[in-house]
Amino acid sequence: MPRRRTPQGPSLFSPSPPSPAPNAAADAVPVGVLVGQLKATVEATCTDVWVEGELSNVSRPASGHLYFTLKDTDAQIRCAMWRHFAERVGVPPRDGMQVRVRASASVYERRGDLQLIVRRLQPAGEGALRRAFEALKRRLEAEGLFDEGHKQPLPVYPETIGLATSGTGAALHDMLTVLGRRFPHVRVLVCPVRVQGVGAAEEIAEAIEAFGAVPPGDPLRVDVLIVGRGGGSAEDLWAFNEEVVARAIHACPIPVVSAVGHETDTSISDLVADRRAATPSMAAELVVPDRREVAAYVQGLQATLHAALSEAVTTRRQRVRQITASYAFNRPLDQLRQTGQHLDELIRRLDRAVDTNVAHRRQQVEHLRQQLALLDPRRPLAQGYVRVEREGRPIVHAEALRPDDVVMLRFGDGVRAARIVPDAEPPSS
């Protein structure tokens, strides 16, 4: 916050000799002058102090500044922490947290509020960090976030690797160096994030979620993701002990390697991740094989394949020698004659079978023809019988006809029309 210039002239709070009773109108000062002199007095008196208390009303607007109230059982005071200081805070402040702050006193002139301008904020003692760590660890462990059954195996030969770390830290340089040395053809995608300070945990979680949201088959899809940073104090590493980071790692569909701090540091992200690496450099060694080891492995496979092929060729050669030394191979003409004789016999059998089958089929056809001739409806007509039809249909019963019905009489050699007469006595013979 820019320092407001105080009015020139003697201060209202500087000692002065006794004077006659003041004239209310002549001696009144503007509120701004009074508050400005109070601000100057407070800032000159209290320039550097450590204060311990409990946080409340913590807020961080879009400006990045941090505002909160520091209180104990006896009093409270408003506090402001400018953005460049807030970004260095290791453990994100929360309501109810017991902290120590290093600050100087000031006055916010617009409201006339006494406040502290905080330059440093840290939990009140290492024990507070440890208690917070253990409490979160127990809760997440009870929910199953550390279960081995949920952890994914790392790919043996990854093609694309994702890095979620500081874009300017030594950890990024170390990982890129190791990856380039061990497996130079691997592709690396870097998502720079803040790794400490207020908002760092949220940025790390968003980076993990972004990597996991890329669909399979997309060119930006990575095979494995490294999340981490280099060493630092417990406060510096605290972003990787945040619940939001732990849940993002647990939900990530991509295998995640956590590499936070030094070998002796263990974070919540280490416990949730699919694999834990003691340092960022060791994480890079963990996710890619050494190209020299791969080359040696390929050479071993080549030697094994060559030996297997050589053995197969030797076996086949022995088999060929056995065949060429056999009686059948050395008497090909005799074998050919015997085969030809057998073929002739088969042809003769086939001819006889064909002739027999044809004769049998002819007998069947003749029998069917005779049966068909017996069933020919014209055959009785040729013997003198007549078929009576009416409207194209045969009449088989006398009762079906009435006097004056016109019928057709079909003979063997033609058709004649006739009319039915009333019943009469048949003519005498």
Side-chain angles (χ1 to χ4, degrees), residues 81-131:
M81 192 174 194
W82 311 138
R83 177 177 179 176
H84 61 282
F85 290 120
E87 290 176 345
R88 302 176 188 174
V89 176
V91 182
R94 298 188 184 89
D95 288 351
M97 181 185 291
Q98 194 73 16
V99 298
R100 297 181 65 204
V101 301
R102 185 175 185 180
S104 57
S106 182
V107 173
Y108 182 43
E109 295 172 84
R110 288 185 176 275
R111 290 199 304 262
D113 289 344
L114 179 65
Q115 63 179 6
L116 294 179
I117 306 301
V118 179
R119 298 189 299 276
R120 184 176 178 185
L121 183 150
Q122 64 185 32
E126 185 69 23
L129 285 179
R130 177 53 56 182
R131 287 192 298 272

Coordinates of all heavy atoms in Angstrom, one line a residue, residues 81-131:
M81 N -1.6 -8.6 3.8 CA -0.3 -9.1 3.3 C -0.3 -9.0 1.8 O -1.1 -9.6 1.1 CB -0.2 -10.6 3.7 CG 1.2 -11.2 3.5 SD 1.2 -12.9 4.1 CE 3.0 -13.2 4.2
W82 N 0.6 -8.1 1.3 CA 0.6 -7.8 -0.1 C 1.0 -9.1 -0.9 O 1.7 -10.0 -0.4 CB 1.6 -6.7 -0.4 CG 1.3 -5.5 0.4 CD1 2.3 -4.7 1.0 CD2 0.1 -4.9 0.8 NE1 1.7 -3.7 1.7 CE2 0.3 -3.8 1.6 CE3 -1.3 -5.3 0.6 CZ2 -0.7 -3.0 2.2 CZ3 -2.3 -4.5 1.2 CH2 -2.0 -3.4 1.9
R83 N 0.7 -9.1 -2.2 CA 0.7 -10.2 -3.0 C 2.1 -10.9 -3.1 O 2.3 -12.1 -3.0 CB 0.3 -9.9 -4.5 CG 0.4 -11.0 -5.4 CD -0.1 -10.6 -6.8 NE 0.0 -11.7 -7.8 CZ -0.5 -11.6 -9.0 NH1 -1.1 -10.5 -9.4 NH2 -0.3 -12.7 -9.8
H84 N 3.2 -10.0 -3.2 CA 4.5 -10.6 -3.4 C 5.0 -11.3 -2.1 O 5.9 -12.2 -2.2 CB 5.5 -9.5 -3.8 CG 5.7 -8.4 -2.9 ND1 4.8 -7.4 -2.8 CD2 6.7 -8.1 -1.9 CE1 5.2 -6.5 -1.8 NE2 6.3 -7.0 -1.3
F85 N 4.4 -10.9 -1.0 CA 4.7 -11.7 0.3 C 3.8 -12.9 0.4 O 4.2 -14.0 0.8 CB 4.5 -10.7 1.5 CG 5.6 -9.7 1.6 CD1 5.2 -8.3 1.6 CD2 6.9 -10.0 1.7 CE1 6.1 -7.3 1.7 CE2 7.9 -9.0 1.9 CZ 7.5 -7.7 1.9
A86 N 2.5 -12.7 0.0 CA 1.6 -13.8 0.1 C 2.0 -15.0 -0.7 O 1.7 -16.2 -0.4 CB 0.2 -13.4 -0.3
E87 N 2.6 -14.8 -1.9 CA 3.0 -15.9 -2.8 C 4.1 -16.7 -2.1 O 4.4 -17.9 -2.6 CB 3.5 -15.3 -4.1 CG 2.3 -14.8 -4.9 CD 2.8 -14.1 -6.2 OE1 4.0 -13.9 -6.3 OE2 2.0 -13.9 -7.1
R88 N 4.8 -16.2 -1.1 CA 5.9 -17.0 -0.5 C 5.4 -17.8 0.7 O 6.2 -18.5 1.3 CB 7.0 -16.0 0.0 CG 7.5 -15.2 -1.2 CD 8.5 -14.2 -0.6 NE 9.0 -13.2 -1.6 CZ 9.8 -12.2 -1.4 NH1 10.2 -12.0 -0.1 NH2 10.1 -11.4 -2.4
V89 N 4.1 -17.7 1.1 CA 3.6 -18.4 2.2 C 3.6 -19.9 1.9 O 3.0 -20.3 0.9 CB 2.2 -17.9 2.6 CG1 1.7 -18.8 3.7 CG2 2.3 -16.5 3.0
G90 N 4.2 -20.7 2.7 CA 4.3 -22.2 2.4 C 3.0 -22.9 2.7 O 2.5 -23.6 1.9
V91 N 2.4 -22.6 3.9 CA 1.1 -23.3 4.3 C 0.0 -22.4 4.0 O -0.1 -21.3 4.6 CB 1.2 -23.7 5.7 CG1 -0.1 -24.5 6.1 CG2 2.4 -24.6 6.0
P92 N -1.0 -22.7 3.1 CA -2.1 -21.8 2.9 C -2.8 -21.5 4.2 O -3.3 -22.4 4.9 CB -3.0 -22.6 1.9 CG -2.0 -23.5 1.2 CD -1.0 -23.9 2.3
P93 N -3.0 -20.2 4.5 CA -3.7 -19.8 5.7 C -5.2 -20.2 5.7 O -5.9 -20.1 4.7 CB -3.6 -18.3 5.8 CG -2.7 -17.9 4.7 CD -2.6 -19.0 3.8
R94 N -5.7 -20.7 6.8 CA -7.1 -21.0 7.0 C -7.7 -20.5 8.3 O -6.9 -20.3 9.3 CB -7.4 -22.5 6.9 CG -6.9 -23.2 5.7 CD -7.4 -24.7 5.7 NE -6.9 -25.4 4.5 CZ -5.8 -26.0 4.4 NH1 -4.9 -26.0 5.5 NH2 -5.4 -26.7 3.3
D95 N -9.0 -20.3 8.3 CA -9.6 -19.9 9.6 C -9.3 -20.9 10.7 O -9.4 -22.1 10.4 CB -11.1 -19.7 9.4 CG -11.4 -18.5 8.6 OD1 -10.5 -17.7 8.3 OD2 -12.6 -18.3 8.2
G96 N -9.0 -20.4 11.8 CA -8.7 -21.3 13.0 C -7.3 -21.7 13.1 O -6.9 -22.3 14.1
M97 N -6.4 -21.4 12.1 CA -5.0 -21.8 12.2 C -4.2 -20.9 13.2 O -4.4 -19.7 13.2 CB -4.4 -21.8 10.8 CG -2.9 -22.2 10.8 SD -2.2 -22.0 9.1 CE -3.1 -23.2 8.2
Q98 N -3.4 -21.5 14.0 CA -2.6 -20.7 14.9 C -1.3 -20.4 14.2 O -0.6 -21.3 13.7 CB -2.3 -21.6 16.2 CG -1.7 -20.8 17.3 CD -2.7 -19.9 18.0 OE1 -3.9 -20.1 17.8 NE2 -2.3 -18.9 18.8
V99 N -1.0 -19.1 14.1 CA 0.2 -18.7 13.3 C 1.0 -17.7 14.0 O 0.6 -17.1 15.0 CB -0.3 -18.1 11.9 CG1 -1.0 -19.1 11.1 CG2 -1.1 -16.9 12.1
R100 N 2.2 -17.5 13.5 CA 3.1 -16.3 13.9 C 3.3 -15.5 12.7 O 3.6 -16.0 11.6 CB 4.4 -16.8 14.5 CG 4.3 -17.7 15.7 CD 5.6 -18.1 16.2 NE 6.4 -17.0 16.6 CZ 7.8 -16.9 16.6 NH1 8.4 -18.0 16.2 NH2 8.4 -15.9 17.0
V101 N 3.2 -14.2 12.8 CA 3.4 -13.3 11.7 C 4.5 -12.2 12.1 O 4.6 -11.8 13.2 CB 2.1 -12.5 11.3 CG1 1.1 -13.6 10.9 CG2 1.6 -11.6 12.4
R102 N 5.3 -11.9 11.1 CA 6.2 -10.8 11.2 C 5.6 -9.6 10.5 O 5.4 -9.7 9.3 CB 7.6 -11.1 10.7 CG 8.7 -10.1 10.9 CD 10.0 -10.6 10.5 NE 11.1 -9.6 10.8 CZ 12.3 -9.8 10.5 NH1 12.7 -10.9 9.9 NH2 13.2 -8.9 10.9
A103 N 5.5 -8.4 11.2 CA 4.7 -7.4 10.6 C 5.1 -6.0 11.2 O 5.9 -5.9 12.1 CB 3.2 -7.6 10.8
S104 N 4.6 -5.0 10.6 CA 4.7 -3.6 11.1 C 3.3 -3.0 11.2 O 2.4 -3.4 10.4 CB 5.6 -2.8 10.2 OG 5.1 -2.8 8.9
A105 N 3.1 -2.2 12.1 CA 1.8 -1.6 12.4 C 1.5 -0.4 11.4 O 2.5 0.3 11.0 CB 1.6 -1.1 13.8
S106 N 0.3 -0.2 11.1 CA -0.1 0.9 10.2 C -1.6 1.2 10.5 O -2.2 0.6 11.3 CB 0.1 0.5 8.7 OG -0.2 1.6 7.9
V107 N -2.1 2.2 9.8 CA -3.5 2.6 9.9 C -4.1 2.7 8.5 O -3.5 3.3 7.6 CB -3.6 4.0 10.6 CG1 -5.1 4.4 10.5 CG2 -3.2 3.9 12.0
Y108 N -5.2 2.0 8.3 CA -5.9 2.1 7.0 C -6.8 3.4 7.0 O -7.8 3.4 7.7 CB -6.8 0.9 6.8 CG -7.5 0.9 5.4 CD1 -6.9 1.3 4.3 CD2 -8.8 0.5 5.4 CE1 -7.5 1.3 3.1 CE2 -9.5 0.5 4.2 CZ -8.8 0.9 3.0 OH -9.5 0.9 1.8
E109 N -6.3 4.4 6.3 CA -6.9 5.8 6.5 C -8.3 5.9 6.1 O -9.1 6.7 6.7 CB -6.0 6.8 5.8 CG -4.6 6.8 6.3 CD -3.7 7.7 5.4 OE1 -3.7 8.9 5.6 OE2 -3.0 7.1 4.6
R110 N -8.8 5.1 5.1 CA -10.1 5.3 4.7 C -11.1 4.9 5.8 O -12.2 5.5 5.8 CB -10.4 4.4 3.4 CG -9.7 4.9 2.2 CD -10.1 4.1 1.0 NE -9.5 4.7 -0.2 CZ -10.1 5.6 -1.0 NH1 -11.2 6.2 -0.6 NH2 -9.5 6.1 -2.1
R111 N -10.8 3.9 6.6 CA -11.7 3.6 7.7 C -11.1 3.9 9.1 O -11.8 3.7 10.1 CB -11.9 2.0 7.7 CG -12.8 1.6 6.5 CD -13.4 0.2 6.8 NE -12.3 -0.8 7.1 CZ -11.8 -1.6 6.2 NH1 -12.3 -1.6 4.9 NH2 -10.9 -2.5 6.5
G112 N -9.9 4.4 9.1 CA -9.3 4.7 10.4 C -9.0 3.5 11.2 O -9.0 3.5 12.4
D113 N -8.8 2.3 10.5 CA -8.6 1.0 11.2 C -7.1 0.8 11.5 O -6.3 1.0 10.6 CB -9.1 -0.1 10.4 CG -10.6 -0.2 10.4 OD1 -11.2 0.5 11.2 OD2 -11.2 -0.9 9.5
L114 N -6.8 0.4 12.7 CA -5.4 -0.1 13.0 C -5.2 -1.4 12.4 O -6.1 -2.3 12.5 CB -5.2 -0.1 14.5 CG -3.8 -0.6 15.0 CD1 -2.8 0.4 14.6 CD2 -3.9 -0.8 16.5
Q115 N -4.1 -1.6 11.7 CA -3.9 -2.9 11.0 C -2.4 -3.3 11.0 O -1.5 -2.4 11.3 CB -4.4 -2.9 9.6 CG -3.7 -2.0 8.7 CD -4.2 -2.0 7.3 OE1 -5.1 -2.7 7.0 NE2 -3.5 -1.3 6.4
L116 N -2.1 -4.5 10.8 CA -0.7 -5.0 10.6 C -0.4 -5.3 9.2 O -1.2 -5.9 8.5 CB -0.5 -6.3 11.4 CG -0.6 -6.2 13.0 CD1 -0.3 -7.6 13.6 CD2 0.5 -5.2 13.5
I117 N 0.7 -4.8 8.7 CA 1.2 -5.1 7.3 C 2.2 -6.3 7.5 O 3.3 -6.1 8.0 CB 1.9 -3.9 6.7 CG1 0.9 -2.7 6.7 CG2 2.3 -4.2 5.2 CD1 -0.4 -2.9 6.0
V118 N 1.7 -7.5 7.1 CA 2.4 -8.7 7.3 C 3.4 -9.0 6.2 O 3.1 -8.9 5.0 CB 1.5 -9.9 7.5 CG1 2.2 -11.2 7.7 CG2 0.5 -9.6 8.6
R119 N 4.7 -9.3 6.6 CA 5.7 -9.7 5.6 C 6.0 -11.2 5.6 O 6.4 -11.7 4.6 CB 7.0 -8.9 5.9 CG 6.8 -7.4 5.8 CD 8.2 -6.7 5.9 NE 8.9 -7.0 7.2 CZ 8.7 -6.3 8.3 NH1 7.7 -5.3 8.3 NH2 9.3 -6.6 9.4
R120 N 5.7 -11.8 6.7 CA 5.9 -13.3 6.8 C 4.9 -13.9 7.6 O 4.5 -13.4 8.7 CB 7.3 -13.5 7.3 CG 7.7 -15.0 7.4 CD 9.2 -15.2 7.9 NE 9.5 -16.6 7.9 CZ 10.7 -17.0 8.4 NH1 11.6 -16.2 8.9 NH2 10.9 -18.3 8.5
L121 N 4.5 -15.1 7.2 CA 3.4 -15.9 8.0 C 3.9 -17.3 8.0 O 4.2 -17.9 7.0 CB 2.1 -15.7 7.4 CG 0.9 -16.4 8.1 CD1 -0.4 -15.6 7.8 CD2 0.7 -17.8 7.6
Q122 N 3.8 -17.9 9.2 CA 4.1 -19.3 9.4 C 3.3 -19.9 10.5 O 2.9 -19.2 11.4 CB 5.6 -19.5 9.7 CG 6.1 -18.9 11.0 CD 7.6 -19.0 11.2 OE1 8.3 -18.9 10.2 NE2 8.0 -19.2 12.4
P123 N 3.0 -21.3 10.4 CA 2.3 -21.9 11.5 C 3.1 -21.7 12.8 O 4.3 -21.6 12.8 CB 2.3 -23.4 11.1 CG 2.4 -23.3 9.6 CD 3.3 -22.2 9.3
A124 N 2.4 -21.8 13.9 CA 3.0 -21.5 15.2 C 3.7 -22.8 15.6 O 3.2 -23.6 16.4 CB 2.0 -21.1 16.2
G125 N 4.9 -23.0 15.1 CA 5.7 -24.1 15.5 C 5.6 -25.3 14.6 O 4.7 -25.5 13.9
E126 N 6.7 -26.1 14.5 CA 6.8 -27.3 13.7 C 5.7 -28.3 14.1 O 5.2 -29.1 13.3 CB 8.1 -28.0 13.8 CG 8.4 -29.2 12.9 CD 8.4 -28.8 11.4 OE1 8.7 -27.6 11.1 OE2 8.1 -29.7 10.6
G127 N 5.3 -28.3 15.4 CA 4.3 -29.3 15.9 C 3.0 -29.1 15.2 O 2.2 -30.0 15.0
A128 N 2.6 -27.8 14.9 CA 1.4 -27.5 14.3 C 1.3 -28.1 12.9 O 0.3 -28.7 12.5 CB 1.1 -26.0 14.2
L129 N 2.4 -28.0 12.1 CA 2.5 -28.6 10.8 C 2.4 -30.2 10.9 O 1.6 -30.8 10.1 CB 3.8 -28.3 10.1 CG 3.9 -26.9 9.6 CD1 5.3 -26.7 9.0 CD2 2.9 -26.6 8.6
R130 N 3.1 -30.7 11.8 CA 3.0 -32.2 12.0 C 1.6 -32.7 12.4 O 1.2 -33.7 11.8 CB 4.1 -32.6 13.0 CG 4.1 -34.1 13.3 CD 4.2 -35.0 12.1 NE 5.4 -34.6 11.3 CZ 5.7 -35.2 10.1 NH1 4.9 -36.1 9.6 NH2 6.8 -34.8 9.5
R131 N 1.0 -31.9 13.2 CA -0.4 -32.4 13.6 C -1.4 -32.3 12.4 O -2.2 -33.1 12.2 CB -0.9 -31.5 14.8 CG -0.2 -31.8 16.1 CD -0.9 -31.1 17.3 NE -0.9 -29.7 17.1 CZ 0.1 -28.9 17.6 NH1 1.1 -29.5 18.3 NH2 0.0 -27.6 17.5

